[in-house]
Amino acid sequence: MKERQVAAMAAEAIDASEQTHILIVDDDPSLRTLVRAFLTQEGYVVAEAEDATALRRLLDRQRVDILILDVMMPGEDGLSIARSLAGKQDIGIIMVSALGTEGDRITGLEMGADDYLPKPVSPRELLARVRALQRRRRSAAETRLASMTHYHFEGWRLDPVRRVLRDPAGIIISLSEGEFALLLAFIEHPQKILTRDHLVELARGVDADVFDRAIDTQVSRLRRKLGTRAGGDLIQTVRSEGYIFQAAVRRG
């Protein structure tokens, strides 16, 4: 029973995250347009890139959860891209190619792809593969979250699975869903200035628009609950930039 409760809480924490962001990398603009329109209708946030250069520009400025990657492109090909991303970024890769032999599929998977589809691509099959990859990634994320150790800072302790925050005296401090998401964003990026937009991106929950409008109020409430430390508040305002979580954070 306890294991089921932990798993349920882990799933709830992951469900609080935002929509899945997909990036289509293909030098065929008509295919990109078709796939983007189809996946957008299914509720995904979809972007496009025509080559490796455009891909890396997008990766530098926005989050990507799943990459739909063509193999045969001018310049750097999809195999080289997949190999360069393997182990460096938490991105699921679905490779698509006119090269559809067993050897081609094996090579793609060995280069770091999570799945491999031959062209021409059926949008419905691609959607099914995207959803299957989402399930696998969700299961892996739940496992990581369930085994995550506590966060410690300034005598405080946060259990991210059970969403329990204890102050230095061991007293449980009640947090709303928004306050918990905000605190988790801060302690996962300690001693770094976070803009309001970045905080919304990191901590957005069931209703991102409401959270966006109430970000300053949420910070103020969380700051009051955390109290003060030597030298000032744990969460300090950086004029014209955003907020910074001052404490050092460790896991254990």
Side-chain angles (χ1 to χ4, degrees):
M1 178 67 177
K2 184 177 180 181
E3 292 179 353
R4 288 198 298 271
Q5 290 175 333
V6 170
M9 285 185 284
E12 181 184 5
I14 295 168
D15 283 339
S17 64
E18 55 286 318
Q19 292 170 285
T20 298
H21 289 234
I22 296 176
L23 175 58
I24 305 165
V25 185
D26 198 301
D27 62 329
D28 183 343
S30 61
L31 178 62
R32 294 199 310 267
T33 300
L34 172 67
V35 174
R36 180 175 190 169
F38 183 80
L39 292 177
T40 299
Q41 288 179 349
E42 296 296 326
Y44 295 97
V45 178
V46 186
E48 300 177 30
E50 68 274 13
D51 56 23
T53 301
L55 157 69
R56 292 197 167 87
R57 283 200 301 264
L58 282 168
L59 290 180
D60 285 340
R61 66 174 185 262
Q62 68 184 56
R63 196 188 80 255
V64 174
D65 300 308
I66 294 177
L67 195 63
I68 297 174
L69 180 62
D70 185 25
V71 174
M72 300 176 66
M73 293 186 294
E76 186 177 1
D77 64 27
L79 294 175
S80 175
I81 293 170
R83 184 170 57 246
S84 70
L85 294 178
K88 295 181 181 178
Q89 299 201 40
D90 183 22
I91 299 175
I93 299 176
I94 298 177
M95 200 165 276
V96 294
S97 176
L99 304 174
T101 68
E102 181 181 14
D104 294 322
R105 293 195 300 273
I106 291 172
T107 299
L109 295 171
E110 288 179 341
M111 289 298 101
D114 297 282
D115 205 342
Y116 192 107
L117 276 172
K119 286 185 174 181
V121 177
S122 160
R124 291 180 62 83
E125 182 178 3
L126 179 59
L127 174 62
R129 299 296 183 99
V130 166
R131 288 173 173 169
L133 180 53
Q134 280 184 291
R135 289 193 295 271
R136 295 197 299 273
R137 286 168 56 82
R138 180 178 296 274
S139 178
E142 288 175 0
T143 299
R144 289 195 302 269
L145 188 57
S147 62
M148 187 183 294
T149 54
H150 294 172
Y151 290 101
H152 300 266
F153 57 93
E154 301 277 334
W156 293 74
R157 185 178 71 177
L158 177 69
D159 181 337
V161 174
R162 295 175 177 81
R163 299 191 176 197
V164 175
L165 175 66
R166 293 183 183 273
D167 71 8
I171 298 172
I172 295 177
I173 305 300
S174 175
L175 296 175
S176 68
E177 181 179 342
E179 290 164 352
F180 169 80
L182 187 61
L183 177 58
L184 194 59
F186 275 124
I187 64 178
E188 287 182 340
H189 301 81
Q191 300 176 331
K192 295 180 180 178
I193 296 174
L194 301 176
T195 66
R196 288 171 174 81
D197 287 343
H198 195 188
L199 280 171
V200 171
E201 178 70 19
L202 292 169
R204 60 195 293 184
V206 176
D207 193 334
D209 290 335
V210 172
F211 190 89
D212 189 11
R213 292 195 298 272
I215 184 69
D216 293 322
T217 300
Q218 294 275 17
V219 170
S220 178
R221 290 174 179 169
L222 181 59
R223 181 185 279 148
R224 286 199 299 270
K225 290 186 178 183
L226 293 175
T228 59
R229 62 196 284 268
D233 294 325
L234 279 169
I235 302 172
Q236 292 193 357
T237 302
V238 181
R239 187 182 298 275
S240 302
E241 293 191 59
Y243 298 97
I244 184 170
F245 190 73
Q246 294 281 48
V249 177
R250 66 176 179 85
R251 296 184 182 185

